[in-house]
Amino acid sequence: MYKVRELQAFDAYMRLGSVKTAADEIASSQPLVSRMLQSLELNIGFTLFLRKRNKLVPTPEAFRFHQMVSRQLLGLRMLQDEAIAIAKGQVGHITIAAQPIFCDTFLLDALSHFRETNPDVSVKIIDVGMAEMLRMISSHSCDMAFGITLDPEAFGGSTLTLAHCEARCILPKGHVLGGAAEIPLPRLRKERFIDLAEGSPLRHRIDNMMDTINVQRDIVSELRTLHGVLKLVERGLGVAIVDPVALKLMDPAKASAHHLIPPITWEIAQFTPKDRPLSRIGKAFSDIVVGEIDKLKALGLVS
């Protein structure tokens, strides 16, 4: 096994051409550098230098060996720099799973702010449905996830509640119910609905509420994302019941948002794999998300 200091002394000598300058570069003494070069040569098993008139002349083997040593020392310096940066929380990688509406709204703002202080951290945000999100938590395929509250314990996850949400009814401009601050759900009985695809937790919550009051909805279009749902409502193709966070994407000149009676509610939560605490950079991102949620609260979108 070669000693790192011996390799550093060898590299310095090969680049600088003298024991004195090599010693200065690695903050050592000339006699110690000479001894390290001799020790390396003994350990390596072939001749590195020819001694001519008190001068060390590198052999062809020394030049070839130096190429490998240079690469190894560069790798070691990069490793040391990486370790220091990780210790300071400056580099790393985070994988985040989230429902599409969160990827389109507050997570974009959170990522923008996070990158200001962590420019070298790689962040991957994957938009997924709740079923896939819980699978990722269970398989430790993500560091954290953001969705609506279910039961992550069954999937090997832990939950941190971030905010309380109340669904909004979105109407196209000029709709007959547009002047009402609150809309009783039975008043929507004859409306044409734009909705999320089946399997969405929000769609499931709305379907259950409508069944409770015996309202059969006329669903004319289904989409995977609330962004698409909003755009169809803005075009006058129907009404929708959406997550309040989606209002950040709504054009108030083309649609209006209304509370419902009775309300349809849930919580936004952060999920993490069980028994896998967040890293320092993961915790830093989580803290920024909490700050973005606080902004949504200040806007009255969530509570």
Side-chain angles (χ1 to χ4, degrees):
M1 180 64 66
Y2 311 125
K3 297 178 180 179
V4 172
R5 286 291 286 171
E6 291 177 355
L7 295 177
Q8 291 172 335
F10 172 68
D11 173 64
Y13 182 83
M14 292 296 291
R15 288 185 291 102
L16 302 173
S18 80
V19 172
K20 181 181 184 304
T21 53
D24 291 340
E25 176 166 294
I26 67 171
S28 184
S29 66
Q30 293 184 54
L32 184 54
V33 167
S34 295
R35 289 197 296 273
M36 286 192 287
L37 294 177
Q38 291 174 353
S39 176
L40 177 63
E41 193 169 31
L42 289 174
N43 291 330
I44 206 166
F46 56 84
T47 302
L48 288 174
F49 304 104
L50 301 176
R51 275 74 180 174
K52 295 183 178 180
R53 298 179 182 178
N54 296 322
K55 182 174 177 60
L56 300 178
V57 179
T59 63
E61 291 79 10
F63 285 107
R64 182 177 177 182
F65 183 60
H66 181 239
Q67 292 177 343
M68 294 182 287
V69 168
S70 296
R71 289 195 293 269
Q72 292 300 316
L73 289 177
L74 175 60
L76 180 60
R77 286 192 293 272
M78 291 176 63
L79 181 63
Q80 291 170 333
D81 291 343
E82 182 83 358
I84 292 171
I86 289 174
K88 294 180 178 179
Q90 295 174 337
V91 299
H93 178 79
I94 311 172
T95 299
I96 300 163
Q99 293 184 252
I101 188 59
F102 300 158
C103 295
D104 291 338
T105 53
F106 66 82
L107 285 180
L108 293 182
D109 296 325
L111 178 58
S112 177
H113 294 155
F114 180 77
R115 291 303 298 271
E116 292 175 2
T117 52
N118 299 272
D120 297 320
V121 176
S122 170
V123 181
K124 179 187 292 186
I125 299 179
I126 306 171
D127 67 316
V128 294
M130 281 300 298
E132 175 63 12
M133 180 187 303
L134 294 174
R135 186 201 66 77
M136 292 181 69
I137 293 170
S138 176
S139 63
H140 288 200
S141 300
C142 63
D143 297 286
M144 68 186 83
F146 297 92
I148 74 172
T149 48
L150 288 174
D151 180 17
E153 292 293 333
F155 295 85
S158 301
T159 305
L160 173 64
T161 299
L162 300 177
H164 177 80
C165 295
E166 182 180 322
R168 301 290 198 277
C169 179
I170 306 299
L171 304 175
K173 278 296 185 180
H175 193 282
V176 65
L177 298 176
E182 298 178 323
I183 299 176
L185 283 173
R187 293 285 302 275
L188 300 174
R189 189 183 304 275
K190 296 181 180 180
E191 298 294 333
R192 295 160 62 87
F193 276 86
I194 313 298
D195 215 333
L196 290 172
E198 290 186 8
S200 158
L202 177 57
R203 167 71 180 270
H204 182 69
R205 186 71 58 89
I206 295 169
D207 286 344
N208 284 345
M209 181 65 78
M210 291 301 194
D211 288 343
T212 299
I213 61 174
N214 197 29
V215 171
Q216 184 68 36
R217 289 190 298 156
D218 178 15
I219 299 174
V220 297
S221 187
E222 296 177 303
L223 294 93
R224 191 181 76 86
T225 69
L226 283 175
H227 182 269
V229 169
L230 282 173
K231 296 306 139 182
L232 288 187
V233 173
E234 290 174 359
R235 286 167 170 77
L237 300 183
V239 306
I241 297 176
V242 303
D243 188 307
V245 176
L247 300 190
K248 287 181 65 68
L249 305 178
M250 187 187 77
D251 184 348
K254 297 179 179 179
S256 57
H258 309 264
H259 289 273
L260 292 165
I261 304 173
I264 302 173
T265 63
W266 61 90
E267 279 74 41
I268 298 175
Q270 173 186 291
F271 306 119
T272 53
K274 206 167 188 179
D275 303 322
R276 181 179 169 181
L278 289 174
S279 64
R280 290 176 60 182
I281 55 174
K283 181 63 167 60
F285 188 88
S286 176
D287 290 343
I288 290 175
V289 169
V290 170
E292 292 302 321
I293 294 292
D294 287 340
K295 293 178 183 179
L296 295 180
K297 292 178 180 179
L299 292 172
L301 297 180
V302 300
S303 59

